[in-house]
């Protein structure tokens, strides 16, 4: 058998959601000397090896019809070395026969692919690892392999590899799971110039939720049986696989529950997805009330007032017959389009557009008076009532005290109107907006100085334009639950759901302590009638693998956001601070108040020093007293992002772009935002920064202390006192490969990231290992 070296990759295949996924590799078979697998860019930039390549573009076109996916995957790569490469393309498989109708082509020429059983494939992987002293392929050990014949790549040449296949997707009740293993593209010497995914979904049953826990996707829903999903990124190193769920159900509302419980002795985690049906354009929608309250004070002059007028026009042109509306413009005085709510029709639309054109900036800011005027117009509680409130400044006229303004608005909002606040720019009281929205069933959105107001308002209005259900309540029912046992579910986020909108996806994360079958009940008002919907759910007793581990991470992000919100609006207490530090440490979710976890010069024992961590976090949390300026704005925007998180934290943080600065403020390399590490927000600069001393790999978080990487599950180990409890293993020894054979693919993925010169401390199956 040939000995393989210098692997480079970048390819994948969509396979069923098993612990190992099919992912392709480009194998160089004619290297002059062993060369480790290319790695993402870190500081300082490593010198290019004698043989290297970069992935230029990754593209997926997929069509999913009911449960069958037909996909075409293309990868363009360039030989960046000075010698011709003789290469093979291989892709591991978790089991034989996972893929059907496979076609492999290079620049349009078809190549034969051969299936190798798992045992033979393992010898190839281990041969490469032993020869090059590079553990990168560990995560694929134990899988079968398709292998192509050899083809040449001259120096400087570009090759496009295309893979076509069909596959039966995994389905859990009505929830279909589509996996696209994208993360192998991390083995490239430079960031990928373009990553694009386009998937169309067709279903004979009605499609309700379409959801990705890994990437922020764009979803288009032409009707109830079709959906189009798009994702695109530039100059990034993909660090996580792409995953997509969609559920199918008849009726006006559909819901699915995903549960995950890694430890039978602790509470589990669940994610509830709920979506109403998509109605045809001709269908009648429930009527609503929308009042736009816009700041026209002097600070809004210039580009901001122009964008605000454009945003108003967008809303006015997209209201529906039967809606009630008005426009309130305010500076030191308050002026309304009409004294009372207007019924939307062509005549009132044109008149309102004329009023908007006459809005000019000048004067002070009477927030209290403007909101009182808007709330005084609302008389009917039977329909959803929305107040879209926009400001770019501090209250300087009328009532100016933050607490009194919040109290006045709450007192006047007797009909439960939803106040949606837009804070524009840094010169505002961001905490005031959060309190107004929190007390009045709404949400806050923050628009940075370089962002377009119209874009933000249009995106939010698209969401709320078609309310389906109001007064929404969600409950879980279990058999044989005693009253004294308390609720089987707890800490559901968001804490309160008021409305469901057409095309919206409700995502609720929570915890549960009782396993087994359950019933999810969603009640609310549809039109003028109260309605109730029931859905079955199964809360797993213990999870056999990490297929749904993202559920735990999403819950953790939202819980951290809620803790920060509680401290911000109601004050600090030791219990919340301790929980914030514990969650941040376990999951690698860095915040402006736990960024000290990224200090790789700290002593290893600091990770386990809960008192010291809480003291540092408590000091940094004092920054929440800043309600105004850039730091105040950045903290509330970051808090909102955590509270509404719908994707799990990955290496590279929230999916930030390339070139992120490091924690010391120095610019990162292009693509560094996704080249390992996590990001957090520097609130003084309102800028995301990269902490590459913290790594998220699968469901494990690693912290670098000197040359030692410490897994969060081993942070309490005392290297001096617990020496007799630690088993030391030399990398690439027989004991090392025996350990990897016993590991899961997820556990091996952690070992696969260890690089030359690094050491790793990790707990596996109850035993602590120090891998040197």
């Amino acid at each position: 058998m040939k000995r393989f070296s210098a692997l480079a990759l970048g390819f994948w295949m969509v396979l069923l959601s098993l612990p190992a996924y099919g992912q392709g590799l480009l194998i160089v078979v004619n290297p002059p000397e062993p060369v480790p697998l290319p790695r993402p860019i870190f500081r300082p930039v490593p010198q290019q090896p004698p043989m290297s390549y970069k992935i230029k573009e990754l593209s997926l076109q997929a069509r999913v019809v009911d449960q069958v996916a037909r996909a075409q995957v293309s990868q363009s790569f360039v030989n960046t070395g000075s010698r011709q490469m003789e290469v093979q393309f291989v892709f591991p498989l978790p089991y034989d026969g996972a893929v059907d109708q496979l076609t492999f082509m290079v620049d349009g020429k078809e190549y034969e692919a051969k299936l190798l059983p798992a045992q033979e494939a393992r010898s190839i992987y281990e041969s490469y690892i032993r020869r090059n002293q590079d553990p990168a392929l560990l995560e694929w050990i134990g899988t079968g392999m398709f292998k192509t014949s050899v083809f040449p790549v001259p120096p400087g040449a570009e090759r496009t590899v295309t893979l076509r296949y069909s596959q039966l997707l995994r389905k859990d009740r009505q929830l279909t799971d589509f996996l696209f293993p994208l993360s192998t593209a991390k083995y490239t010497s430079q960031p990928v110039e373009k990553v694009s995914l386009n998937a169309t979904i067709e279903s004979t049953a009605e499609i309700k939720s379409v959801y990705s826990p890994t990437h922020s996707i764009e979803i288009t829903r032409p009707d109830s049986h079709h959906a189009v999903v798009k994702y695109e990124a530039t100059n990034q190193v993909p660090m996580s696989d792409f995953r997509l769920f969609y559920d199918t159900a008849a009726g006006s509302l559909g819901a699915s529950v995903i549960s995950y419980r890694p430890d039978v002795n602790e509470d589990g985690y669940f994610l509830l997805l709920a979506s109403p049906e998509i109605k045809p354009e001709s269908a009648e929608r429930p009527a609503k009330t929308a009042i736009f309250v816009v700041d026209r004070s002097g600070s809004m002059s210039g580009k901001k007032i122009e964008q605000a007028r454009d945003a108003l026009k967008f809303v006015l042109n997209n209201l529906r017959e039967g809606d009630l509306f008005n426009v309130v413009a305010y500076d030191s005085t308050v002026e309304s389009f009409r004294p009372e709510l207007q019924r939307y029709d062509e005549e009132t639309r044109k008149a309102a557009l004329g009023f908007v054109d006459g809005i000019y900036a000048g004067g002070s800011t009477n927030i209290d008076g403007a909101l009182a005027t808007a709330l005084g117009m609302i008389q009917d509680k039977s329909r959803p009532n929305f107040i879209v409130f926009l400001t770019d400044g501090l209250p300087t006229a009328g009532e100016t005290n933050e607490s009194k303004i919040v109290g006045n608005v709450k007192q006047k909002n007797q009909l439960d109107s939803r106040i949606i606040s837009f804070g524009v720019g840094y010169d505002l009281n961001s905490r005031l907006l959060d309190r107004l929205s929190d007390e009045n069933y709404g949400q806050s959105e923050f628009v940075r100085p370089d962002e377009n107001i119209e874009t933000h308002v249009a995106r939010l209005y698209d969401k709320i334009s078609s309310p389906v259900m109001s007064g929404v309540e969600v409950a879980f029912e279990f058999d044989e639950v005693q009253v004294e046992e308390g609720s089987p579910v707890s800490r559901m986020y968001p804490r309160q759901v008021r409305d469901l909108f057409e095309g919206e996806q409700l995502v609720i994360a929570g915890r549960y302590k009782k396993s087994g079958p359950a019933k999810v009940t969603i009640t609310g008002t549809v039109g003028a009638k109260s309605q109730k919907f029931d859905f079955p759910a199964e809360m797993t007793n213990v999870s056999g693998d990490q297929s749904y581990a993202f559920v735990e991470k999403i819950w953790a992000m939202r819980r951290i956001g809620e803790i920060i919100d509680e401290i911000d609006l109601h004050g600090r207490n030791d219990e919340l601070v301790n929980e914030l530090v514990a969650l941040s440490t376990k999951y690698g979710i860095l915040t402006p108040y736990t960024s000290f976890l990224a200090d790789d010069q700290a002593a290893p024992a600091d990770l386990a020093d809960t008192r010291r961590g809480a003291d540092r976090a408590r000091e940094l949390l004092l920054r929440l007293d800043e309600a105004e300026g850039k730091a105040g704005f950045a903290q509330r925007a970051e808090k909102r992002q955590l509270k509404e998180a719908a994707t799990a934290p990955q290496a590279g943080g929230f999916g930030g772009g390339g070139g992120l600065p490091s924690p010391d403020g120095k610019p990162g390399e292009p693509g560094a935002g996704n080249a390992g590490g996590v990001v957090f927000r520097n609130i003084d600069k309102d800028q995301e920064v990269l902490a590459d001393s913290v790594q998220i790999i699968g469901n494990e978080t690693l912290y670098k202390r000197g040359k030692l990487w410490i897994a969060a599950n081993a942070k309490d180990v005392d290297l001096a006192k617990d020496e007799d409890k630690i088993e030391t293993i030399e990398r690439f020894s027989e004991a090392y490969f025996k350990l990897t054979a016993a590991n899961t693919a997820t556990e091996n993925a952690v070992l696969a990231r260890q690089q030359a010169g690094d050491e790793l401390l990790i707990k596996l199956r109850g035993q602590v290992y120090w891998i040197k």
Side-chain angles (χ1 to χ4, degrees), residues 404-526:
K404 289 184 178 179
I405 293 174
V406 173
N408 290 343
V409 171
K410 182 66 176 175
Q411 191 274 327
K412 291 180 172 64
N413 189 12
Q414 297 297 311
L415 300 180
D416 298 343
S417 299
R418 288 70 157 157
I419 296 182
I420 301 167
S421 303
F422 285 87
V424 180
Y426 297 132
D427 300 324
L428 51 83
N429 185 327
S430 55
R431 186 174 57 212
L432 169 61
L433 300 194
D434 266 3
R435 292 181 66 182
L436 285 170
S437 297
D438 186 70
E439 294 282 342
N440 295 279
Y441 322 107
Q443 68 182 58
S444 302
E445 187 146 337
F446 297 94
V447 185
R448 291 181 168 83
D450 59 345
E451 294 178 323
N452 191 303
I453 299 170
E454 182 188 0
T455 301
H456 279 259
V457 173
R459 182 174 62 241
L460 183 131
Y461 181 76
D462 278 341
K463 171 184 171 181
I464 69 171
S465 61
S466 299
V468 173
M469 179 183 287
S470 59
V472 176
E473 293 186 6
V474 179
F476 284 77
E477 299 177 12
F478 292 78
D479 294 334
E480 300 177 358
V481 175
Q482 305 300 320
V483 175
E484 59 270 20
E485 293 179 323
S487 174
V489 299
S490 62
R491 290 187 169 179
M492 294 198 303
Y493 305 117
R495 287 177 287 117
Q496 197 172 49
V497 179
R498 299 297 301 182
D499 306 288
L500 268 178
F501 302 95
E502 183 179 318
E504 182 195 19
Q505 205 146 262
L506 175 63
V507 180
I508 296 179
R511 302 205 66 174
Y512 69 93
K513 61 184 178 182
K514 182 176 175 57
S515 60
K519 181 171 69 174
V520 180
T521 303
I522 300 177
T523 57
T525 302
V526 178

Side-chain angles (χ1 to χ4, degrees), residues 597 601-613 705 708 710 714-720 761:
L597 293 169
Q601 301 303 310
D606 281 358
L607 277 176
D609 191 340
T610 55
R611 177 178 294 182
R612 176 175 169 79
R705 296 296 183 261
L708 176 65
I710 304 173
K715 68 179 179 64
D716 294 324
V717 175
D718 190 312
L719 297 178
L761 189 73

Side-chain angles (χ1 to χ4, degrees), residues 13-18 21 60-73 95 97-100 165-181 199-203 207 210-211 227 229 242-248 548:
M13 295 214 16
V14 178
L15 297 175
L16 302 182
S17 295
L18 298 175
Y21 308 119
L60 167 69
Q61 301 290 326
R63 183 186 179 203
V64 180
V65 180
D66 291 323
Q67 204 179 335
V68 177
R70 294 177 176 84
Q72 175 172 303
V73 184
Y95 63 95
V99 174
D100 187 28
Y165 62 89
S166 63
Q167 177 198 5
L168 182 67
L169 301 179
R170 166 175 155 172
K171 192 167 186 177
D172 185 357
R173 292 185 174 83
Q174 72 261 27
L175 198 66
T176 302
D177 186 353
F178 179 76
L179 174 71
F180 179 51
T200 61
I201 303 171
E202 304 173 28
S203 174
I207 300 171
V210 180
Y211 166 70
V229 175
F242 176 82
R243 201 163 181 191
L244 182 72
F245 292 93
Y246 68 92
D247 71 356
T248 52
Y548 295 144

Side-chain angles (χ1 to χ4, degrees), residues 322-339:
D323 285 345
L324 298 178
F325 79 100
N326 212 333
V327 180
V328 176
Y330 69 96
D331 45 38
S332 51
T333 60
V334 180
E335 180 183 6
S336 303
F337 160 55
R338 295 279 170 82

Side-chain angles (χ1 to χ4, degrees), residues 728-732 754 758-760 770-772:
T728 302
I729 291 182
E730 183 180 349
R731 282 208 306 168
F732 313 120
Q754 187 177 358
D758 290 342
E759 297 179 2
L760 173 65
W770 192 341
I771 302 174
K772 297 184 176 181

Side-chain angles (χ1 to χ4, degrees), residues 251-295:
S252 57
L253 185 67
S256 293
V257 174
I258 303 171
S259 62
Y260 176 68
R261 194 176 195 175
D263 188 338
V264 71
N265 298 312
E266 296 184 5
D267 288 358
Y269 305 84
F270 70 86
L271 205 65
L272 168 66
L273 307 176
S275 296
E277 66 181 335
I278 303 295
K279 295 182 179 180
E281 283 298 319
S282 58
E284 186 175 337
R285 265 78 172 177
K288 63 181 178 297
T289 299
I291 304 177
F292 200 101
V293 181
V294 59
D295 190 341

Side-chain angles (χ1 to χ4, degrees), residues 4 34 53-54 74 170 187 194 219 329 361 394 408 423 539 580 603 706 709 716 722:
F4 299 99
Y53 76 95
K54 70 173 182 179
S74 295
R170 166 175 155 172
Y187 299 120
K194 182 179 180 181
I219 304 171
L394 306 171
N408 290 343
M539 307 307 239
L580 172 63
W709 286 94
D716 294 324
D722 297 333

